[in-house]
Coordinates of all heavy atoms in Angstrom, one line a residue:
M1207 N 88.2 -56.3 -236.9 CA 88.8 -57.1 -235.9 C 89.8 -56.3 -235.0 O 90.7 -55.7 -235.6 CB 89.5 -58.3 -236.5 CG 90.2 -59.2 -235.5 SD 91.1 -60.6 -236.3 CE 89.8 -61.4 -237.1
R1208 N 89.6 -56.3 -233.7 CA 90.5 -55.6 -232.9 C 91.7 -56.5 -232.6 O 91.6 -57.6 -232.1 CB 89.7 -55.2 -231.6 CG 90.5 -54.3 -230.7 CD 89.7 -53.9 -229.6 NE 90.7 -53.2 -228.7 CZ 90.4 -52.5 -227.7 NH1 89.1 -52.3 -227.4 NH2 91.3 -52.0 -226.9
L1209 N 92.9 -55.9 -232.8 CA 94.1 -56.7 -232.6 C 94.7 -56.6 -231.2 O 95.6 -55.9 -230.9 CB 95.1 -56.3 -233.6 CG 94.7 -56.6 -235.1 CD1 95.8 -56.0 -236.0 CD2 94.6 -58.0 -235.3
T1210 N 94.0 -57.3 -230.3 CA 94.6 -57.4 -228.9 C 95.7 -58.4 -228.9 O 95.9 -59.1 -229.8 CB 93.5 -57.8 -227.9 OG1 93.0 -59.1 -228.3 CG2 92.3 -56.8 -228.0
K1211 N 96.4 -58.5 -227.7 CA 97.5 -59.4 -227.7 C 97.0 -60.8 -227.9 O 97.7 -61.6 -228.5 CB 98.2 -59.3 -226.3 CG 99.0 -58.1 -226.2 CD 99.8 -58.1 -224.8 CE 100.7 -56.9 -224.7 NZ 101.4 -56.8 -223.5
D1212 N 95.9 -61.2 -227.3 CA 95.3 -62.5 -227.5 C 95.0 -62.9 -229.0 O 95.3 -63.9 -229.5 CB 94.1 -62.8 -226.7 CG 94.4 -62.8 -225.2 OD1 95.6 -63.1 -224.8 OD2 93.5 -62.5 -224.3
V1213 N 94.4 -61.9 -229.6 CA 94.0 -62.1 -231.0 C 95.3 -62.2 -231.9 O 95.3 -63.0 -232.8 CB 93.1 -60.9 -231.5 CG1 92.9 -60.9 -233.0 CG2 91.7 -61.0 -230.8
I1214 N 96.2 -61.3 -231.6 CA 97.5 -61.4 -232.4 C 98.1 -62.7 -232.2 O 98.6 -63.3 -233.2 CB 98.5 -60.3 -231.9 CG1 97.9 -58.9 -232.4 CG2 99.9 -60.5 -232.4 CD1 98.7 -57.7 -231.8
Q1215 N 98.2 -63.3 -231.0 CA 98.8 -64.6 -230.8 C 98.0 -65.7 -231.5 O 98.6 -66.6 -232.1 CB 98.9 -64.9 -229.3 CG 99.8 -66.0 -229.0 CD 101.2 -65.9 -229.6 OE1 101.9 -64.9 -229.3 NE2 101.7 -66.8 -230.4
K1216 N 96.7 -65.6 -231.5 CA 95.9 -66.6 -232.2 C 96.2 -66.5 -233.8 O 96.3 -67.5 -234.4 CB 94.4 -66.4 -232.0 CG 94.0 -66.8 -230.6 CD 92.5 -66.5 -230.3 CE 92.2 -66.8 -228.9 NZ 90.7 -66.4 -228.6
L1217 N 96.2 -65.3 -234.3 CA 96.6 -65.1 -235.7 C 97.9 -65.7 -236.1 O 98.1 -66.4 -237.1 CB 96.5 -63.6 -236.1 CG 95.1 -63.1 -236.2 CD1 95.2 -61.5 -236.4 CD2 94.4 -63.6 -237.4
L1218 N 98.9 -65.4 -235.2 CA 100.3 -65.9 -235.5 C 100.3 -67.5 -235.4 O 100.9 -68.1 -236.3 CB 101.3 -65.4 -234.4 CG 101.5 -63.9 -234.6 CD1 102.4 -63.4 -233.4 CD2 102.2 -63.5 -235.9
D1219 N 99.6 -68.0 -234.4 CA 99.6 -69.5 -234.3 C 98.8 -70.2 -235.5 O 99.2 -71.3 -235.9 CB 98.9 -69.9 -233.0 CG 99.7 -69.5 -231.8 OD1 101.0 -69.3 -231.9 OD2 99.2 -69.4 -230.6
S1220 N 97.8 -69.6 -235.9 CA 97.0 -70.2 -237.0 C 97.5 -70.0 -238.4 O 97.1 -70.6 -239.4 CB 95.5 -69.8 -236.9 OG 95.4 -68.4 -237.2
N1221 N 98.5 -69.1 -238.5 CA 99.1 -68.8 -239.8 C 100.6 -69.1 -239.9 O 101.4 -68.4 -240.5 CB 98.9 -67.3 -240.1 CG 97.4 -67.0 -240.5 OD1 97.0 -67.3 -241.6 ND2 96.7 -66.4 -239.5
E1222 N 101.0 -70.2 -239.2 CA 102.3 -70.7 -239.2 C 102.8 -70.8 -240.7 O 102.2 -71.4 -241.5 CB 102.5 -72.0 -238.5 CG 103.8 -72.6 -238.4 CD 104.7 -71.9 -237.3 OE1 104.1 -71.3 -236.4 OE2 105.9 -72.1 -237.4
G1223 N 104.0 -70.3 -241.0 CA 104.6 -70.5 -242.3 C 104.3 -69.4 -243.2 O 104.7 -69.3 -244.4
F1224 N 103.4 -68.4 -242.9 CA 102.9 -67.3 -243.8 C 104.2 -66.4 -244.0 O 104.9 -66.1 -243.1 CB 101.8 -66.5 -243.2 CG 101.4 -65.3 -244.0 CD1 100.6 -65.5 -245.1 CD2 101.9 -64.1 -243.8 CE1 100.2 -64.4 -245.9 CE2 101.5 -63.0 -244.5 CZ 100.6 -63.2 -245.6
T1225 N 104.4 -66.1 -245.3 CA 105.5 -65.2 -245.6 C 105.1 -64.1 -246.6 O 104.2 -64.3 -247.4 CB 106.7 -66.1 -246.3 OG1 107.8 -65.2 -246.6 CG2 106.2 -66.7 -247.6
K1226 N 105.7 -63.0 -246.4 CA 105.4 -61.8 -247.2 C 106.7 -61.1 -247.4 O 107.5 -60.8 -246.5 CB 104.5 -60.9 -246.5 CG 104.0 -59.7 -247.2 CD 103.0 -60.1 -248.2 CE 102.3 -58.8 -248.8 NZ 101.3 -59.2 -249.8
T1227 N 107.0 -60.7 -248.7 CA 108.3 -60.0 -249.1 C 107.9 -58.7 -249.8 O 107.0 -58.7 -250.6 CB 109.1 -60.9 -250.1 OG1 109.3 -62.2 -249.5 CG2 110.4 -60.3 -250.4
K1228 N 108.6 -57.7 -249.4 CA 108.5 -56.4 -250.0 C 109.8 -55.9 -250.5 O 110.8 -56.1 -249.8 CB 107.9 -55.4 -249.0 CG 106.5 -55.5 -248.7 CD 105.9 -54.3 -248.0 CE 104.4 -54.2 -248.1 NZ 103.9 -53.0 -247.6
Y1229 N 109.8 -55.2 -251.6 CA 111.0 -54.7 -252.2 C 110.9 -53.1 -252.2 O 109.8 -52.6 -252.6 CB 111.1 -55.2 -253.6 CG 111.2 -56.7 -253.7 CD1 110.1 -57.4 -254.0 CD2 112.4 -57.4 -253.5 CE1 110.1 -58.8 -254.0 CE2 112.4 -58.7 -253.6 CZ 111.3 -59.4 -253.8 OH 111.4 -60.8 -253.9
F1230 N 111.9 -52.5 -251.9 CA 112.0 -51.0 -252.0 C 113.2 -50.7 -252.8 O 114.3 -51.3 -252.7 CB 112.2 -50.4 -250.6 CG 111.1 -50.7 -249.6 CD1 111.2 -51.7 -248.7 CD2 109.9 -50.0 -249.6 CE1 110.2 -52.1 -247.8 CE2 108.9 -50.3 -248.7 CZ 109.0 -51.3 -247.8
S1231 N 113.1 -49.7 -253.7 CA 114.2 -49.3 -254.5 C 114.1 -47.8 -254.7 O 113.0 -47.2 -255.1 CB 114.1 -50.0 -255.9 OG 115.2 -49.6 -256.7
G1232 N 115.2 -47.1 -254.5 CA 115.3 -45.7 -254.7 C 116.5 -45.4 -255.6 O 117.0 -46.3 -256.2
R1233 N 116.9 -44.2 -255.7 CA 117.9 -43.8 -256.6 C 119.2 -44.5 -256.3 O 119.9 -44.9 -257.2 CB 118.1 -42.2 -256.5 CG 119.1 -41.7 -257.5 CD 119.1 -40.2 -257.5 NE 120.2 -39.8 -258.3 CZ 120.7 -38.6 -258.1 NH1 120.2 -37.7 -257.3 NH2 121.7 -38.2 -258.9
N1234 N 119.6 -44.5 -255.0 CA 120.9 -45.1 -254.6 C 120.7 -46.2 -253.5 O 121.6 -46.4 -252.7 CB 121.9 -44.1 -254.1 CG 122.3 -43.1 -255.3 OD1 122.6 -43.6 -256.4 ND2 122.3 -41.9 -254.9
F1235 N 119.5 -46.8 -253.5 CA 119.2 -47.6 -252.3 C 118.3 -48.8 -252.8 O 117.3 -48.5 -253.5 CB 118.5 -46.8 -251.2 CG 118.2 -47.6 -250.0 CD1 119.1 -48.0 -249.1 CD2 116.9 -47.9 -249.8 CE1 118.8 -48.7 -248.0 CE2 116.5 -48.6 -248.7 CZ 117.5 -49.0 -247.8
K1236 N 118.6 -50.0 -252.4 CA 117.7 -51.1 -252.6 C 117.6 -51.9 -251.3 O 118.6 -52.1 -250.6 CB 118.3 -52.0 -253.7 CG 118.2 -51.5 -255.0 CD 118.8 -52.5 -256.0 CE 118.7 -51.9 -257.4 NZ 119.2 -52.9 -258.4
E1237 N 116.4 -52.3 -251.0 CA 116.1 -53.1 -249.7 C 115.0 -54.1 -250.0 O 114.1 -53.8 -250.7 CB 115.8 -52.2 -248.6 CG 115.6 -52.9 -247.3 CD 115.4 -52.0 -246.1 OE1 114.3 -51.3 -246.1 OE2 116.2 -51.9 -245.2
T1238 N 115.2 -55.3 -249.4 CA 114.3 -56.3 -249.4 C 113.9 -56.7 -248.0 O 114.8 -57.0 -247.2 CB 114.8 -57.6 -250.1 OG1 115.3 -57.2 -251.4 CG2 113.8 -58.7 -250.2
N1239 N 112.6 -56.7 -247.7 CA 112.2 -57.1 -246.3 C 111.3 -58.4 -246.4 O 110.3 -58.5 -247.2 CB 111.3 -56.0 -245.7 CG 112.1 -54.8 -245.4 OD1 113.2 -54.9 -244.9 ND2 111.5 -53.7 -245.6
H1240 N 111.8 -59.4 -245.7 CA 111.1 -60.7 -245.6 C 110.5 -60.8 -244.3 O 111.1 -60.7 -243.3 CB 112.1 -61.9 -245.8 CG 112.9 -61.8 -247.1 ND1 112.3 -62.2 -248.3 CD2 114.2 -61.5 -247.4 CE1 113.2 -62.1 -249.2 NE2 114.3 -61.6 -248.7
N1241 N 109.2 -61.1 -244.3 CA 108.5 -61.3 -243.0 C 108.0 -62.8 -243.0 O 107.4 -63.2 -244.0 CB 107.3 -60.4 -242.9 CG 107.7 -59.0 -242.9 OD1 108.2 -58.5 -241.9 ND2 107.4 -58.2 -244.0
L1242 N 108.2 -63.5 -241.9 CA 107.8 -64.9 -241.8 C 107.2 -65.1 -240.4 O 107.8 -64.7 -239.4 CB 109.1 -65.8 -241.9 CG 109.0 -67.2 -241.6 CD1 108.0 -68.0 -242.6 CD2 110.3 -67.9 -241.6
I1243 N 106.1 -65.8 -240.4 CA 105.5 -66.2 -239.1 C 105.9 -67.6 -238.8 O 105.7 -68.5 -239.6 CB 103.9 -66.1 -239.2 CG1 103.5 -64.7 -239.5 CG2 103.3 -66.7 -237.9 CD1 102.0 -64.5 -239.7
K1244 N 106.6 -67.7 -237.7 CA 107.2 -69.0 -237.3 C 107.3 -69.1 -235.8 O 107.7 -68.2 -235.1 CB 108.6 -69.2 -237.9 CG 109.2 -70.5 -237.7 CD 110.6 -70.6 -238.4 CE 111.2 -71.9 -238.1 NZ 112.5 -72.0 -238.7
G1245 N 106.8 -70.3 -235.3 CA 106.9 -70.5 -233.9 C 106.0 -69.5 -233.0 O 106.4 -69.2 -231.9
G1246 N 105.0 -69.0 -233.6 CA 104.1 -68.0 -232.9 C 104.7 -66.6 -232.8 O 104.3 -65.8 -232.0
K1247 N 105.7 -66.3 -233.7 CA 106.4 -65.0 -233.7 C 106.5 -64.5 -235.1 O 106.5 -65.3 -236.0 CB 107.8 -65.1 -233.0 CG 107.7 -65.5 -231.6 CD 109.1 -65.6 -231.0 CE 109.0 -66.0 -229.6 NZ 110.3 -66.2 -228.9
L1248 N 106.7 -63.2 -235.2 CA 106.9 -62.6 -236.6 C 108.4 -62.4 -236.7 O 109.0 -61.6 -235.9 CB 106.1 -61.3 -236.7 CG 106.4 -60.6 -238.0 CD1 106.0 -61.4 -239.2 CD2 105.7 -59.2 -238.0
L1249 N 109.1 -63.0 -237.7 CA 110.5 -62.8 -237.9 C 110.7 -61.9 -239.1 O 110.0 -62.0 -240.1 CB 111.2 -64.2 -238.2 CG 110.9 -65.3 -237.2 CD1 111.5 -66.6 -237.7 CD2 111.4 -64.9 -235.8
I1250 N 111.5 -60.9 -238.9 CA 111.8 -59.9 -240.0 C 113.3 -60.0 -240.4 O 114.1 -59.9 -239.5 CB 111.5 -58.5 -239.5 CG1 110.0 -58.4 -239.0 CG2 111.8 -57.4 -240.5 CD1 109.7 -57.0 -238.3
R1251 N 113.5 -60.1 -241.7 CA 114.8 -60.0 -242.2 C 114.9 -58.9 -243.2 O 114.1 -58.9 -244.2 CB 115.2 -61.4 -242.9 CG 116.6 -61.3 -243.4 CD 117.0 -62.7 -244.0 NE 118.4 -62.6 -244.4 CZ 118.9 -63.4 -245.3 NH1 118.2 -64.4 -245.8 NH2 120.2 -63.3 -245.6
S1252 N 115.8 -58.0 -243.0 CA 116.0 -56.8 -243.9 C 117.3 -56.9 -244.5 O 118.4 -57.0 -243.8 CB 115.8 -55.6 -243.0 OG 116.1 -54.4 -243.8
K1253 N 117.4 -56.9 -245.8 CA 118.6 -57.0 -246.6 C 118.7 -55.9 -247.6 O 117.7 -55.6 -248.3 CB 118.6 -58.3 -247.3 CG 119.8 -58.9 -247.6 CD 119.7 -60.3 -248.2 CE 120.9 -60.7 -248.9 NZ 120.8 -62.1 -249.5
G1254 N 119.8 -55.1 -247.6 CA 119.8 -54.0 -248.5 C 121.2 -53.5 -248.8 O 122.2 -54.0 -248.2
K1255 N 121.3 -52.6 -249.7 CA 122.6 -52.0 -250.1 C 122.4 -50.6 -250.7 O 121.2 -50.3 -251.1 CB 123.3 -52.8 -251.1 CG 122.7 -53.0 -252.4 CD 123.5 -53.8 -253.3 CE 122.9 -53.9 -254.7 NZ 123.8 -54.6 -255.7
T1256 N 123.4 -49.8 -250.6 CA 123.4 -48.5 -251.2 C 124.4 -48.5 -252.3 O 125.1 -49.5 -252.6 CB 123.7 -47.4 -250.2 OG1 125.0 -47.5 -249.8 CG2 122.7 -47.4 -249.0
S1257 N 124.6 -47.3 -252.9 CA 125.6 -47.3 -254.0 C 127.0 -47.3 -253.5 O 128.0 -47.6 -254.3 CB 125.4 -46.0 -254.8 OG 125.5 -44.8 -254.0
W1258 N 127.2 -47.1 -252.3 CA 128.6 -47.3 -251.6 C 128.9 -48.8 -251.5 O 128.1 -49.6 -251.1 CB 128.6 -46.6 -250.3 CG 128.4 -45.1 -250.4 CD1 127.2 -44.5 -250.3 CD2 129.4 -44.1 -250.6 NE1 127.4 -43.2 -250.5 CE2 128.7 -42.9 -250.6 CE3 130.8 -44.2 -250.7 CZ2 129.4 -41.7 -250.8 CZ3 131.4 -43.0 -250.9 CH2 130.7 -41.8 -251.0
A1259 N 130.1 -49.1 -251.8 CA 130.5 -50.5 -251.9 C 130.5 -51.1 -250.5 O 130.2 -52.4 -250.3 CB 131.9 -50.6 -252.4
D1260 N 130.7 -50.4 -249.4 CA 130.7 -50.9 -248.1 C 129.4 -50.7 -247.3 O 129.4 -50.9 -246.1 CB 131.9 -50.4 -247.3 CG 131.8 -48.9 -247.1 OD1 131.0 -48.3 -247.8 OD2 132.6 -48.4 -246.3
S1261 N 128.4 -50.3 -248.0 CA 127.1 -50.0 -247.3 C 126.1 -51.1 -247.6 O 125.1 -50.9 -248.4 CB 126.6 -48.7 -247.8 OG 127.4 -47.6 -247.4
R1262 N 126.3 -52.3 -247.0 CA 125.3 -53.3 -247.2 C 124.9 -53.8 -245.8 O 125.6 -53.6 -244.8 CB 126.0 -54.5 -247.8 CG 126.4 -54.3 -249.2 CD 127.2 -55.4 -249.8 NE 127.8 -55.1 -251.1 CZ 127.1 -55.3 -252.3 NH1 126.0 -55.9 -252.3 NH2 127.7 -54.9 -253.4
H1263 N 123.7 -54.2 -245.7 CA 123.2 -54.8 -244.4 C 122.3 -56.0 -244.6 O 121.7 -56.2 -245.6 CB 122.5 -53.7 -243.6 CG 121.1 -53.3 -244.2 ND1 121.0 -52.4 -245.2 CD2 119.9 -53.8 -243.9 CE1 119.7 -52.3 -245.5 NE2 119.0 -53.1 -244.8
D1264 N 122.3 -56.8 -243.6 CA 121.5 -58.0 -243.6 C 121.2 -58.3 -242.1 O 122.0 -58.9 -241.3 CB 122.3 -59.2 -244.2 CG 121.4 -60.4 -244.3 OD1 120.3 -60.4 -243.9 OD2 121.9 -61.4 -244.9
N1265 N 120.0 -57.8 -241.7 CA 119.6 -57.9 -240.3 C 118.4 -58.8 -240.1 O 117.4 -58.7 -240.9 CB 119.2 -56.5 -239.8 CG 120.3 -55.5 -239.9 OD1 121.5 -55.9 -239.7 ND2 120.0 -54.3 -240.3
S1266 N 118.4 -59.6 -239.1 CA 117.3 -60.4 -238.7 C 116.8 -60.1 -237.3 O 117.7 -60.0 -236.4 CB 117.6 -61.9 -238.8 OG 117.9 -62.2 -240.1
T1267 N 115.5 -59.9 -237.1 CA 115.0 -59.6 -235.8 C 113.7 -60.3 -235.5 O 113.1 -60.7 -236.5 CB 114.8 -58.1 -235.6 OG1 113.9 -57.6 -236.6 CG2 116.1 -57.3 -235.7
I1268 N 113.3 -60.3 -234.3 CA 111.9 -60.8 -233.9 C 111.1 -59.6 -233.7 O 111.5 -58.7 -232.9 CB 112.0 -61.7 -232.7 CG1 112.8 -63.0 -233.0 CG2 110.6 -62.1 -232.3 CD1 113.0 -63.8 -231.8
A1269 N 110.0 -59.4 -234.3 CA 109.2 -58.2 -234.2 C 108.6 -58.1 -232.8 O 108.2 -59.1 -232.2 CB 108.0 -58.2 -235.2
D1270 N 108.5 -56.8 -232.3 CA 107.9 -56.6 -231.0 C 106.4 -56.5 -231.3 O 105.9 -56.7 -232.4 CB 108.4 -55.3 -230.3 CG 108.1 -54.0 -231.1 OD1 107.2 -54.0 -232.0 OD2 108.9 -53.1 -230.9
I1271 N 105.6 -56.3 -230.3 CA 104.1 -56.4 -230.4 C 103.6 -55.3 -231.3 O 102.6 -55.5 -232.1 CB 103.4 -56.3 -229.0 CG1 101.9 -56.6 -229.1 CG2 103.6 -54.9 -228.3 CD1 101.7 -58.0 -229.4
E1272 N 104.1 -54.1 -231.3 CA 103.7 -53.0 -232.2 C 104.0 -53.3 -233.6 O 103.2 -53.0 -234.5 CB 104.2 -51.6 -231.7 CG 103.6 -51.2 -230.4 CD 102.1 -51.1 -230.5 OE1 101.5 -50.6 -231.5 OE2 101.4 -51.5 -229.5
Q1273 N 105.2 -53.8 -233.9 CA 105.6 -54.1 -235.3 C 104.7 -55.3 -235.8 O 104.3 -55.2 -237.0 CB 107.0 -54.6 -235.3 CG 108.0 -53.5 -235.1 CD 109.5 -54.0 -235.0 OE1 109.7 -55.0 -234.3 NE2 110.4 -53.4 -235.7
T1274 N 104.4 -56.2 -234.9 CA 103.5 -57.3 -235.3 C 102.2 -56.8 -235.6 O 101.5 -57.2 -236.6 CB 103.5 -58.4 -234.2 OG1 104.8 -58.8 -234.0 CG2 102.7 -59.6 -234.6
R1275 N 101.6 -56.0 -234.8 CA 100.3 -55.4 -235.0 C 100.2 -54.6 -236.3 O 99.2 -54.8 -237.1 CB 99.9 -54.5 -233.8 CG 98.5 -53.9 -233.9 CD 98.2 -53.2 -232.6 NE 97.9 -54.1 -231.5 CZ 98.5 -54.0 -230.3 NH1 99.4 -53.1 -230.1 NH2 98.2 -54.9 -229.4
R1276 N 101.2 -53.8 -236.6 CA 101.2 -53.1 -237.9 C 101.2 -54.0 -239.1 O 100.5 -53.9 -240.1 CB 102.3 -52.1 -238.0 CG 102.1 -50.8 -237.2 CD 103.2 -49.8 -237.5 NE 104.5 -50.2 -237.2 CZ 105.2 -50.1 -236.1 NH1 104.6 -49.3 -235.1 NH2 106.4 -50.5 -235.9
F1277 N 102.1 -55.0 -239.0 CA 102.2 -56.0 -240.1 C 100.8 -56.7 -240.3 O 100.4 -56.9 -241.4 CB 103.3 -57.0 -239.8 CG 103.4 -58.2 -240.8 CD1 103.9 -58.0 -242.0 CD2 102.9 -59.4 -240.4 CE1 104.0 -59.0 -242.9 CE2 102.9 -60.5 -241.3 CZ 103.5 -60.2 -242.6
L1278 N 100.2 -57.2 -239.2 CA 99.0 -57.9 -239.3 C 97.8 -57.1 -239.9 O 97.0 -57.6 -240.7 CB 98.6 -58.5 -237.9 CG 99.5 -59.6 -237.4 CD1 99.0 -60.0 -236.0 CD2 99.5 -60.8 -238.4
R1279 N 97.8 -55.8 -239.6 CA 96.8 -54.9 -240.1 C 97.0 -54.8 -241.6 O 96.0 -54.8 -242.3 CB 97.0 -53.5 -239.5 CG 96.2 -53.3 -238.2 CD 96.1 -51.8 -237.9 NE 95.8 -51.7 -236.5 CZ 96.6 -51.2 -235.6 NH1 97.7 -50.6 -235.9 NH2 96.2 -51.1 -234.3
K1280 N 98.2 -54.8 -242.1 CA 98.4 -54.6 -243.6 C 98.1 -55.9 -244.3 O 97.6 -55.9 -245.5 CB 99.9 -54.4 -243.8 CG 100.3 -52.9 -243.4 CD 101.8 -52.7 -243.7 CE 102.2 -51.3 -243.1 NZ 103.6 -51.1 -243.3
V1281 N 98.2 -57.1 -243.7 CA 98.0 -58.4 -244.4 C 96.8 -59.2 -244.0 O 96.7 -60.3 -244.3 CB 99.3 -59.2 -244.4 CG1 100.5 -58.5 -245.0 CG2 99.6 -59.7 -243.0
I1282 N 96.0 -58.6 -243.2 CA 94.8 -59.3 -242.5 C 94.0 -60.0 -243.6 O 93.5 -61.1 -243.3 CB 94.0 -58.4 -241.6 CG1 93.1 -59.2 -240.7 CG2 93.2 -57.4 -242.4 CD1 93.8 -59.8 -239.6
D1283 N 93.9 -59.4 -244.8 CA 93.0 -60.0 -245.8 C 93.6 -61.3 -246.4 O 92.9 -62.1 -247.0 CB 92.7 -59.0 -246.9 CG 91.9 -57.9 -246.5 OD1 91.2 -58.0 -245.5 OD2 92.1 -56.8 -247.1
E1284 N 94.9 -61.5 -246.2 CA 95.6 -62.7 -246.7 C 95.7 -63.8 -245.7 O 96.2 -64.9 -246.1 CB 97.0 -62.3 -247.2 CG 97.0 -61.2 -248.3 CD 98.4 -60.7 -248.6 OE1 99.3 -61.5 -248.8 OE2 98.6 -59.5 -248.8
L1285 N 95.4 -63.5 -244.5 CA 95.5 -64.5 -243.4 C 94.3 -65.3 -243.1 O 93.2 -64.9 -243.5 CB 95.9 -63.8 -242.1 CG 97.2 -63.0 -242.1 CD1 97.3 -62.2 -240.8 CD2 98.4 -63.8 -242.3
K1286 N 94.5 -66.5 -242.5 CA 93.3 -67.3 -242.1 C 92.8 -66.7 -240.8 O 93.5 -66.6 -239.8 CB 93.8 -68.8 -241.8 CG 94.4 -69.5 -243.0 CD 94.9 -70.8 -242.6 CE 95.9 -71.3 -243.6 NZ 96.7 -72.4 -243.1
T1287 N 91.6 -66.4 -240.8 CA 91.0 -65.7 -239.6 C 89.7 -66.4 -239.1 O 89.1 -65.9 -238.2 CB 90.6 -64.2 -239.9 OG1 89.7 -64.2 -241.1 CG2 91.8 -63.4 -240.3
E1288 N 89.4 -67.6 -239.7 CA 88.2 -68.3 -239.3 C 88.3 -68.6 -237.8 O 89.2 -69.1 -237.3 CB 88.0 -69.6 -240.1 CG 87.8 -69.4 -241.5 CD 89.1 -69.4 -242.3 OE1 90.1 -70.0 -241.8 OE2 89.2 -68.6 -243.3
G1289 N 87.2 -68.3 -237.1 CA 87.1 -68.6 -235.6 C 87.9 -67.7 -234.7 O 87.9 -67.9 -233.5
I1290 N 88.5 -66.7 -235.2 CA 89.2 -65.7 -234.4 C 88.4 -64.4 -234.3 O 88.1 -63.8 -235.3 CB 90.6 -65.5 -235.0 CG1 91.4 -66.8 -235.1 CG2 91.4 -64.4 -234.1 CD1 92.8 -66.6 -235.8
E1291 N 88.2 -64.0 -233.0 CA 87.4 -62.8 -232.8 C 88.2 -61.9 -231.8 O 88.8 -62.3 -230.9 CB 86.0 -63.1 -232.4 CG 85.2 -63.7 -233.4 CD 83.8 -64.0 -232.9 OE1 83.4 -63.4 -232.0 OE2 83.2 -64.9 -233.5

């Protein structure tokens, strides 16, 4: 399936409420990424910390078209795709 802007929007609209969480952990670093499809957009929340006491972050953003395309490519097998070409 070719992920054009129209196809991306159809996928986002038909998969309202889809969520995917990924965890990353390194030697001195932990991060959790929550992805949520809501309102026809992909919302990304990144929460993490390092071994330093003041090095914590909690960022929420709306994905741009390229971030959305990459995300959809990774999870396309888990999405509802009936009738979308």
Side-chain angles (χ1 to χ4, degrees):
M1207 174 182 303
R1208 187 172 170 168
L1209 294 177
T1210 62
K1211 286 185 179 183
D1212 291 336
V1213 171
I1214 288 171
Q1215 194 58 53
K1216 288 177 185 176
L1217 284 170
L1218 292 174
D1219 292 339
S1220 66
N1221 287 283
E1222 180 79 18
F1224 178 82
T1225 182
K1226 185 77 171 180
T1227 304
K1228 282 194 165 189
Y1229 302 95
F1230 301 98
S1231 182
R1233 184 172 170 202
N1234 294 317
F1235 180 75
K1236 289 182 181 179
E1237 185 175 61
T1238 305
N1239 290 323
H1240 302 282
N1241 296 290
L1242 170 66
I1243 297 175
K1244 184 176 178 183
K1247 296 179 182 178
L1248 176 63
L1249 308 175
I1250 301 171
R1251 182 175 182 202
S1252 175
K1253 205 174 166 183
K1255 66 179 184 174
T1256 66
S1257 60
W1258 296 89
D1260 61 347
S1261 296
R1262 297 175 187 266
H1263 70 275
D1264 188 352
N1265 303 321
S1266 296
T1267 59
I1268 298 173
D1270 64 21
I1271 191 72
E1272 289 305 317
Q1273 290 172 315
T1274 304
R1275 185 174 283 128
R1276 281 192 301 267
F1277 174 76
L1278 292 175
R1279 273 194 199 116
K1280 290 178 185 177
V1281 299
I1282 194 76
D1283 294 334
E1284 301 174 44
L1285 298 174
K1286 298 175 200 166
T1287 58
E1288 297 88 30
I1290 300 173
E1291 294 181 21

